[in-house]
Amino acid sequence: MDMTRNAAAVSLPVPAEITQIREEIEDVKTFYFRFEDPELERSFPIRSGQFVMCTVFGAGEFAVSLPWSPEQDRRHLSVRSVGKVTSALHGLRVGDKIGIRGPFGNGFPFAELSGRNLIYVAGGIGLIPLRSSIVHALLHREDFGRIILLYGAKSSRELMYRPNIEEWRKRDGFETYVTIDRPEPGWDGETGFVHTLIEKANVPIENTTAFVCGPPVMFNAVIGELSRRGLKDDCIISTLERHMKCGIGKCQHCAIGRTLVCTDGPVYTYKQIKTLGETI
Ligand SMILES: Cc1cc2nc3c(=O)[nH]c(=O)nc-3n(C[C@H](O)[C@H](O)[C@H](O)COP(=O)(O)OP(=O)(O)OC[C@H]3O[C@@H](n4cnc5c(N)ncnc54)[C@H](O)[C@@H]3O)c2cc1C
């Protein structure tokens, strides 16, 4: 891709067509899309953990994680309808146009993770920002030690990416543990909060990096359990979500002290998050 195209994708939304919409869970839909520009469609380089700004024409723009992996997968965004722009997106149909700006942000530090055990701990839609990294790690399985997913949701109806989870369960060398908060008819899997899976999975602590994404109450319980077992703060990684406007470090909307989440983040170690004096 030449520099002009790259600059255009960063400063101006480029048009893309919605090709498929999947109802994921209540209020969350996955939108598959393709760029109108064949050059961008061929090459839109991303790193796991980055995000884009998505425009819904006539409604506005919002920040959204990239769930697809750098190597494979159709491009898609998984979005919860929470307000003005995301609900306008939910009103779109296959064939409608959206705009995409990006990709932005630092992404997960895969260069530093070679040879390490990777533990993914997600609650609810916290699986969205981790999906790309999980697929990436599985495609490079030989580069890592144990790869474990611990995933929890309030109920079975709130589990994201169920077809993916079923497929991952069958993969050699990928340990998948899924729990829902309370027993329910027809569910024969684990029950209880996601942090209880840390013990069930006998999660290693030496040479381990944990990716943790989910609501604050879940994040705090998981961090508490991992720390109690001896995992250091700089071996825990998460992503911060702050209201964003420009995505390129100009408008300061997402500033937390000295850091701009759009350019320095959204990926931070827990050690950095503590220094910022921030909460998830
Ligand atoms: C890096 C990043 C990645 C994200 N990835 C995803 C994703 O993959 N899928 C997804 O569904 N959402 C994601 N979000 C959140 C998404 O950007 C917001 O839900 C969206 O901006 C809401 O826009 P709206 O116009 O629909 O809601 P609004 O009408 O603007 O707001 C609705 C409500 O949500 C609150 N709100 C809006 N944005 C945020 C925010 N960023 N943090 C906390 N509260 C907020 C508002 O204060 C208000 O109460 C991400 C955010 C960031 C910063």
Side-chain angles (χ1 to χ4, degrees):
M1 188 192 316
D2 67 37
M3 289 306 290
T4 340
R5 280 179 200 283
N6 221 350
V10 168
S11 55
L12 278 177
V14 293
E17 181 184 330
I18 297 172
T19 55
Q20 187 189 342
I21 301 173
R22 194 175 65 217
E23 302 260 352
E24 207 67 60
I25 57 174
E26 194 180 354
D27 292 334
V28 181
K29 289 183 184 176
T30 292
F31 298 85
Y32 293 86
F33 65 92
R34 70 168 159 253
F35 289 109
E36 284 188 348
D37 179 340
E39 184 63 31
L40 272 182
E41 183 53 25
R42 240 189 319 275
S43 154
F44 184 72
I46 62 150
R47 291 192 300 276
S48 295
Q50 288 189 299
F51 67 96
V52 290
M53 298 299 292
C54 172
T55 299
V56 182
F57 297 107
E61 201 182 31
F62 68 100
V64 58
S65 310
L66 307 182
W68 77 88
S69 81
E71 298 89 348
Q72 67 170 42
D73 266 2
R74 288 155 63 204
R75 293 191 185 92
H76 60 281
L77 306 171
S78 296
V79 178
R80 168 161 277 169
S81 172
V82 293
K84 181 175 164 251
V85 189
T86 49
S87 62
L89 179 71
H90 272 237
L92 297 186
R93 301 206 177 140
V94 169
D96 286 340
K97 302 282 162 50
I98 53 172
I100 300 287
R101 248 179 355 107
F104 300 120
N106 53 358
F108 294 117
F110 267 102
E112 299 160 24
L113 299 178
S114 187
R116 295 179 70 80
N117 303 305
L118 305 183
I119 316 298
Y120 293 95
V121 195
I125 63 167
L127 192 57
I128 299 174
L130 296 184
R131 186 188 177 283
S132 170
S133 168
I134 293 169
V135 177
H136 175 77
L138 286 176
L139 288 170
H140 299 272
R141 181 69 198 83
E142 64 287 355
D143 292 347
F144 305 104
R146 286 175 71 187
I147 307 180
I148 306 174
L149 169 65
L150 310 179
Y151 181 40
K154 280 190 197 144
S155 70
S156 63
R157 282 181 290 112
E158 286 161 90
L159 290 167
M160 286 288 297
Y161 302 135
R162 286 187 78 158
N164 288 135
I165 291 173
E166 291 316 312
E167 182 197 324
W168 295 338
R169 272 187 197 286
K170 296 179 196 141
R171 296 287 292 260
D172 274 346
F174 186 61
E175 300 167 56
T176 315
Y177 295 80
V178 179
T179 185
I180 58 172
D181 287 0
R182 275 173 285 289
E184 64 180 38
W187 176 260
D188 58 3
E190 303 284 352
T191 51
F193 297 130
V194 69
H195 68 275
T196 60
L197 296 177
I198 294 170
E199 173 148 22
K200 288 183 182 137
N202 192 19
V203 160
I205 296 302
E206 278 303 303
N207 198 28
T208 292
T209 296
F211 299 69
V212 186
C213 283
V217 63
M218 165 265 174
F219 183 84
N220 291 328
V222 169
I223 298 289
E225 184 61 21
L226 291 173
S227 300
R228 198 180 60 73
R229 287 166 172 264
L231 193 65
K232 297 204 172 68
D233 292 347
D234 57 358
C235 297
I236 300 171
I237 296 175
S238 191
T239 62
L240 287 182
E241 279 196 13
R242 288 300 174 272
H243 209 90
M244 285 184 191
K245 290 283 182 200
C246 75
I248 51 175
K250 301 283 184 210
C251 75
Q252 309 279 313
H253 246 84
C254 62
I256 308 172
R258 285 170 288 105
T259 194
L260 293 173
V261 177
C262 68
T263 47
D264 302 331
V267 176
Y268 293 89
T269 65
Y270 183 52
K271 186 175 175 186
Q272 292 171 318
I273 292 171
K274 274 166 85 172
T275 323
L276 296 172
E278 264 302 297
T279 50
I280 286 288

